[in-house]
Amino acid sequence: DMYSSDDNSIETVSVVSKSTLQSTRQSSRSRTICGWRKYYSMPVDQLNITKTEKWKCQITTRSTRFKKWIIFATEEERLAFQNLVYSLQVKIKNWHQEHLMSELKASNSSPSTPVNLLVEIVSATGLRNADIGGLSDPFVKVRLGNRVLHTTKRIDNTLNPIWTTETNSLFLITDTMDEFFHSGYAVTFEVIDYDVLGKNAILGFARVPQGVLLKATGSRLEFPLEEIKNRRKSA
């Protein structure tokens, strides 16, 4: 878990381990534990550790421009975090392979079998307001791993957008079964507020497993949006 202070002036996030939680304070490089809360959540398979120093490491994500230094109490905790991330990523890779083989068996397909999925983005409701005027200018970006599959046009001044063919609601996913399952853990739909002057803000995202899309029958599916509870970010 990564934690950040309620104080918006803090530019770092801190990983809190069980050993750190047993004390009332961290080292002089960090802050008091009291009042800290979970602040960032991201899929392990999208996580990259790009730089390391004795007691900290820099993390980025493959599908967004997120970049942050994580501060640890000790070098041992930093190494434990790295080992945990790497071991989980191996497990996820193995899970992808097992899931692929299960889908191939169920559909009597091969890894080279083509995947052709027509997807329509219909609407979103109850988005948070990201603009000064109390509304947002949302558009949707669809990702699979580090690939951008589709981007809709934005709809101005609304918290309940409805996309149509005129705003690029339809798109086609074309892959092989192997590529479709090994590109990422799920297809991610990011709802983003467009900002003409500053940085775009991610309003929320929904992650849809590939198997759910393959089994879809054409009826409408609804998914809750998860919020990224941090500052405005590039998208």
Side-chain angles (χ1 to χ4, degrees):
D1 286 342
M2 286 167 283
Y3 288 74
S4 180
S5 170
D6 289 326
D7 180 357
N8 287 333
S9 66
I10 303 301
E11 291 295 330
T12 61
V13 292
S14 180
V15 170
V16 182
S17 69
K18 290 181 180 178
S19 61
T20 308
L21 287 171
Q22 291 171 357
S23 64
T24 56
R25 293 189 66 86
Q26 296 186 52
S27 66
S28 60
R29 294 188 297 270
S30 193
R31 297 289 294 258
T32 304
I33 290 297
C34 300
W36 291 69
R37 62 185 176 84
K38 188 173 181 179
Y39 204 56
Y40 293 104
S41 178
M42 61 193 65
V44 174
D45 64 318
Q46 294 297 305
L47 192 64
N48 285 327
I49 298 175
T50 52
K51 296 180 182 178
T52 60
E53 295 183 9
K54 185 175 181 181
W55 44 266
K56 65 181 181 179
C57 66
Q58 186 183 69
I59 59 171
T60 61
T61 56
R62 297 171 187 170
S63 60
T64 66
R65 298 175 187 174
F66 180 91
K67 181 187 293 185
K68 211 74 174 178
W69 282 97
I70 305 178
I71 310 300
F72 297 85
T74 65
E75 183 178 7
E76 289 73 20
E77 288 187 2
R78 191 263 297 170
L79 289 170
F81 172 75
Q82 284 181 249
N83 291 334
L84 176 62
V85 169
Y86 295 149
S87 65
L88 288 175
Q89 288 177 337
V90 169
K91 288 182 180 180
I92 290 172
K93 184 177 180 179
N94 292 337
W95 180 90
H96 282 317
Q97 184 63 30
E98 292 173 3
H99 197 50
L100 170 62
M101 297 310 296
S102 175
E103 291 291 339
L104 293 178
K105 184 177 180 180
S107 60
N108 195 25
S109 304
S110 71
S112 60
T113 298
V115 173
N116 295 290
L117 293 174
L118 181 64
V119 180
E120 181 179 16
I121 298 168
V122 178
S123 64
T125 58
L127 299 176
R128 67 177 175 88
N129 58 304
D131 295 338
I132 296 176
L135 297 172
S136 294
D137 306 314
F139 65 96
V140 178
K141 184 174 288 187
V142 185
R143 302 179 185 270
L144 179 57
N146 58 4
R147 291 189 291 158
V148 176
L149 301 180
H150 183 69
T151 304
T152 69
K153 294 181 179 179
R154 75 175 189 269
I155 300 178
D156 294 332
N157 301 318
T158 181
L159 301 181
N160 302 288
I162 298 175
W163 285 275
T164 65
T165 53
E166 292 183 354
T167 50
N168 293 354
S169 62
L170 285 169
F171 68 100
L172 184 66
I173 298 176
T174 56
D175 258 333
T176 64
M177 289 286 283
D178 186 61
E179 292 170 337
F180 191 49
F181 278 92
H182 282 99
S183 294
Y185 171 72
V187 178
T188 302
F189 295 78
E190 297 175 348
V191 183
I192 303 167
D193 173 59
Y194 174 80
D195 195 324
V196 66
L197 297 176
K199 294 180 179 179
N200 296 339
I202 299 178
L203 302 174
F205 63 94
R207 307 190 78 216
V208 184
Q210 291 95 320
V212 172
L213 292 177
L214 285 176
K215 293 180 175 67
T217 59
S219 59
R220 182 175 298 186
L221 302 174
E222 293 187 6
F223 302 95
L225 288 179
E226 299 180 50
E227 279 197 49
I228 298 179
K229 297 180 180 178
N230 58 350
R231 291 173 227 169
R232 296 177 70 85
K233 305 163 73 64
S234 298

